[in-house]
Amino acid sequence: MTTAPSSALFDRVALIGVGLIGSSLARAIRRHGLARTIAVADQGEGVAARALALGLCDEAGEDAVAAVRGADLVMLCTPVGAGEAIARAIGPALAPGAIVSDVGSVKARVIEMIAPHLPAGVHLVPGHPVAGTEKSGPESGFAELFEGRWCILTPLPTTDARAVDKVAELWRRVGMVIETMDPDTHDKVLAITSHLPHLIAYTIVGTAADLEDHLSQKVIAFSAGGFRDFTRIAGSDPVMWRDVFLNNREAVLEILQRFTEDLTALQRAIRWGEGDTLEALFTKTRAIRQAVIEAKQA
Amino acid sequence: MTTAPSSALFDRVALIGVGLIGSSLARAIRRHGLARTIAVADQGEGVAARALALGLCDEAGEDAVAAVRGADLVMLCTPVGAGEAIARAIGPALAPGAIVSDVGSVKARVIEMIAPHLPAGVHLVPGHPVAGTEKSGPESGFAELFEGRWCILTPLPTTDARAVDKVAELWRRVGMVIETMDPDTHDKVLAITSHLPHLIAYTIVGTAADLEDHLSQKVIAFSAGGFRDFTRIAGSDPVMWRDVFLNNREAVLEILQRFTEDLTALQRAIRWGEGDTLEALFTKTRAIRQAVIEAKQA
Ligand SMILES: NC(=O)c1ccc[n+]([C@@H]2O[C@H](COP(=O)([O-])OP(=O)(O)OC[C@H]3O[C@@H](n4cnc5c(N)ncnc54)[C@H](OP(=O)(O)O)[C@@H]3O)[C@@H](O)[C@H]2O)c1
Ligand SMILES: NC(=O)c1ccc[n+]([C@@H]2O[C@H](COP(=O)([O-])OP(=O)(O)OC[C@H]3O[C@@H](n4cnc5c(N)ncnc54)[C@H](OP(=O)(O)O)[C@@H]3O)[C@@H](O)[C@H]2O)c1
C-alpha cells in the first residue's frame, strides 16, 4: 500500500499497460500522492514484474480483470487496438461508479470500441495526454513527462460531469493543461500534428533504407539536419503506430490527400524552375512557426 | 587588423555573405586565430554594418570586389543561386594563387556556375560544412556551430592538392571532421538527408496553414510531437532553400519520386487495413535509427 496523503483523488487506480505512458503516469501518481493503491496489468513478457521491481505500483500481473477489481479509476494505457478486447474482458468486473479512461492517441474509434462493453453506472472519460517520446517500455517513463503539456478530454455529451472533473483533476495534478473537444475534432487535429508527421517520417526513413547500399551507408553517416529528426520520429513504437493508423484511417487519409496535392504542386515548381512559387510557400510557413512559438509549443 | 598568432592559416580571408554560416565562420576564424584579416561583403540591407558592429570582421561593405582584393581565401557564404554573379564579378580581382571556396548545400551546379569565371592560377575548392540551424542573419551565428560535425569537400580531379589541404585544415581547426566525395554523390546524399526532409516539412506546414480556420488554430495550439519539429525545419530561410531546390533539381526529383511511391504504398495499406505491412515498415525504420545513433549523428 502506498502511503498517500488523505487528499488522494482515487482509492485504487488500475493501469492497463505500463509502457512509456502507463509507467510515466504511475510515477506521477506516486509522486503527487493521487492514489492509495496502484495496480498494474500488462501482457508484455516480464513487464509486470519489471514494473513492480521499479517500484511503480503496489500490485502487478498479467490479468487485467484482477487489476480492475475494486478500482475507482481504470486507465487504459495500451495501444489503441487492444481497447476492445480489454473492455470486453474487464466490463463484468468493474465496480459500479468506477471511471474508465484511456490515453489513446485516437479518440472516435476508441470510444466505439470501449463504450459498448461497459456496464451501466460505469463512466467512460476518453482522454489523450499530448505528451510522449519515441521510447517505449516501463523503463523509459518519467514523472515529469506531462508537465506543461495539453491533455485533451473528449467526453460524450451524456458523460457524468463529476467523472470528467475527476479525470481532469488527475491530469491537472500531474502538471497538464486540460482542453475538451469532440472526438472527431481531436482526431482531425492530431492527424495533422502527429499522425501525418509520423507517417512521413516512417516513409522517408524507409525510402533511405531501400537505397543502393553505398548511398544508404552515406545517408546514415551524414544524417544531418532534417533526416536526423525524422529517424528519431521513425524510431517510435511500431505496434502503437500501426494501431493509430488503423484506427484513425479516415482523418489520416483525408489529410494525406491534401498533403500529396500540395507536394505535387511543389514538385512541379521544382521541375519547371518556378523560384517564386517556392519562395512564397517557404515564406508563408515561417509565419506558422512564429505562431507555434507564440503558443509556447516550440 | 586582428592580432592573429603567427600560425594564422591565411593572411586575408574574404567572406561573401555573412548570414548564419558566414558569421559563424567569422567567429570561429577569430576564436582560433586562423586569419590576420577578415573582410566581409554582404548585400543585405545594413548587414555589413551589423557584422562590423558585432566585431566579426576587420572590414565590411557591400562590395564583394573590394573584399576579395589581396585575399588568399575567398569563401562564398551566400545562397547558392548567387554564386554565378559573384564569381563573374570577383573573377578579375582575384590574386594569383588565391583559393575560392564555398559553403553551399549543393555542389555540382555550384561548381558549374563558379568555375568558368575563375582565372587560371586561382584554385576552386567546393565545400559544404554540414552544420546549421533554421535561423539566419549575422546575429544568429556562433563559433561552436561546426564542432564535431562533418565538412564535405568535393574538389575536382584537377584541383591543386595543397589548396584542398588548406581548406580542409581551416575546417578542421574550427572543429569539423573532413570527408571528400564527388559532387554528384554529395548532391544525392544531401537530397535525402536534408533537402527532401525540408521540402516535406515546408509542405506539411503549408497544408496545415491552408486548413479551415478553426482547425488551423487548433493545430497551432496543439502542435505536439512531430509537427513541432516540422515547423522548426519549415522556419528555415526561404531564399536559401529556394536556391537549393532550383540547383539540386535532378537529385531532389529522383528521391521525391521514390518517396512518393513508398508513401502511396503506405496509404494503400492504411486504406485496406493491412496492419502487418504497416508494422513491418515501422519495425524496419527502427534499425536505421539505431544505426544513426551508433554513427553518433543523433
Ligand atoms: N508514446 C507516445 O508518445 C504517446 C503519447 C500519447 C499517447 N500515447 C498512447 O498511449 C498508449 C500507450 O503507448 P505507449 O507509448 O505507452 O506504448 P508502450 O510503451 O509500447 O506500452 C504499451 C504496453 O501495453 C502492453 N499491452 C499491449 N496490449 C495489451 C493488452 N491487451 N493487455 C495488457 N497490456 C497490453 C504492451 O505489452 P506488449 O509490448 O508485449 O504488447 C506494452 O507493455 C497508446 O494508446 C498510445 O496511442 C502514446
Ligand atoms: N543554414 C544552414 O543550415 C546551412 C548549412 C550548411 C550550408 N548552408 C549554405 O550556406 C549558405 C548561406 O546560408 P545562410 O544560412 O548563412 O544564409 P543567410 O543567413 O540567409 O545569409 C546569407 C547572406 O548572404 C547575403 N547575400 C545574398 N546574396 C548575396 C550577394 N549576391 N552578395 C553578397 N551577399 C549576398 C544575404 O543578404 P540578403 O538576405 O539581403 O539577400 C544574407 O545576408 C547557403 O549557400 C546555404 O546553402 C546553410
Side-chain angles (χ1 to χ4, degrees), chain A residues 23-25 27-28 31-32 131 141-149 174-176:
Chain A
S23 75
S24 295
L25 183 57
R27 288 173 171 94
R31 170 173 305 179
H32 299 284
F142 51 100
E144 303 81 9
L145 176 63
F146 309 108
E147 286 172 13
R149 318 291 315 171
V174 302
M176 303 199 92

Side-chain angles (χ1 to χ4, degrees), chain A residues 213-229:
Chain A
D213 229 39
H214 73 284
L215 269 186
S216 189
Q217 294 304 320
K218 286 205 164 57
V219 163
I220 287 166
F222 304 105
S223 109
F227 190 70
R228 208 169 43 235
D229 294 327

Side-chain angles (χ1 to χ4, degrees), chain A residues 149 228 232 262 297, chain B residues 149 207 228-229 242 297:
Chain A
R149 318 291 315 171
R228 208 169 43 235
R232 185 175 47 65
D262 293 347
Q297 293 293 305
Chain B
R149 318 292 315 172
T207 305
R228 206 166 47 233
D229 294 327
R242 176 201 67 191
Q297 293 293 303

Side-chain angles (χ1 to χ4, degrees), chain B:
Chain B
M1 270 258 296
T2 324
T3 48
S6 55
S7 72
L9 260 179
F10 295 99
D11 192 50
R12 177 183 175 92
V13 171
L15 301 174
I16 315 303
V18 68
L20 171 72
I21 303 295
S23 75
S24 294
L25 183 57
R27 288 175 171 92
I29 287 176
R30 277 267 154 119
R31 172 175 301 181
H32 300 284
L34 304 178
R36 287 180 204 284
T37 303
I38 302 176
V40 147
D42 196 297
Q43 68 165 28
E45 209 182 313
V47 172
R50 273 147 58 203
L52 208 53
L54 286 164
L56 301 179
C57 52
D58 305 288
E59 299 170 22
E62 294 194 4
D63 186 8
V65 176
V68 307
R69 255 187 243 290
D72 45 351
L73 174 68
V74 175
M75 185 70 79
L76 304 191
C77 304
T78 45
V80 293
E84 178 142 35
I86 294 172
R88 187 185 295 119
I90 65 174
L94 293 168
I99 297 172
V100 172
S101 186
D102 82 312
V103 300
S105 308
V106 174
K107 298 274 57 89
R109 265 298 288 155
V110 163
I111 297 171
E112 279 172 34
M113 290 193 290
I114 296 177
H117 301 288
L118 303 186
V122 166
H123 311 292
L124 176 60
V125 182
H128 177 201
V130 187
T133 75
E134 71 283 6
K135 309 259 168 60
S136 47
E139 288 78 9
S140 52
F142 51 100
E144 303 80 9
L145 176 63
F146 309 107
E147 286 172 14
R149 318 292 315 172
W150 290 100
C151 183
I152 302 178
L153 299 181
T154 62
L156 309 178
T158 53
T159 311
D160 182 65
R162 278 162 313 175
V164 178
D165 284 348
K166 271 196 97 171
V167 173
E169 185 61 19
L170 171 74
W171 290 115
R172 225 176 265 123
R173 297 239 198 134
V174 302
M176 303 199 94
V177 187
I178 312 298
E179 175 85 12
T180 302
M181 59 178 83
D182 65 279
D184 288 331
T185 302
H186 169 277
D187 289 354
K188 277 187 192 165
V189 170
L190 271 289
I192 182 147
T193 59
S194 172
H195 308 170
L196 181 59
H198 274 81
L199 190 69
I200 281 169
Y202 276 124
T203 306
I204 205 170
V205 176
T207 305
D210 289 342
L211 287 173
E212 302 84 315
D213 229 38
H214 72 283
L215 270 185
S216 189
Q217 295 304 320
K218 286 206 164 56
V219 163
I220 288 167
F222 305 104
S223 112
F227 191 70
R228 206 166 47 233
D229 294 327
F230 282 41
T231 63
R232 186 175 46 68
I233 299 174
S236 301
D237 191 68
V239 173
M240 171 192 151
W241 283 99
R242 176 201 67 191
D243 281 10
V244 167
F245 294 116
L246 293 179
N247 291 290
N248 198 19
R249 188 185 310 207
E250 238 103 289
V252 168
L253 289 178
E254 195 201 312
I255 199 71
L256 186 52
Q257 183 60 36
R258 292 195 193 203
F259 167 81
T260 306
E261 286 166 21
D262 293 347
L263 186 61
T264 304
L266 270 185
Q267 183 171 11
R268 205 196 206 101
I270 292 174
R271 195 177 298 285
W272 297 105
E274 296 167 356
D276 293 348
T277 306
L278 297 175
E279 195 181 338
L281 174 74
F282 299 169
T283 303
K284 180 171 88 173
T285 53
R286 279 202 144 172
I288 297 265
R289 172 65 183 165
Q290 212 42 50
V292 167
I293 290 174
E294 278 156 23
K296 301 220 169 54
Q297 293 293 303

Side-chain angles (χ1 to χ4, degrees), chain A residues 36-59:
Chain A
R36 287 178 203 284
T37 304
I38 302 176
V40 148
D42 196 296
Q43 68 165 27
E45 209 184 311
V47 173
R50 273 148 58 204
L52 208 53
L54 285 165
L56 301 180
C57 50
D58 304 288
E59 299 171 20

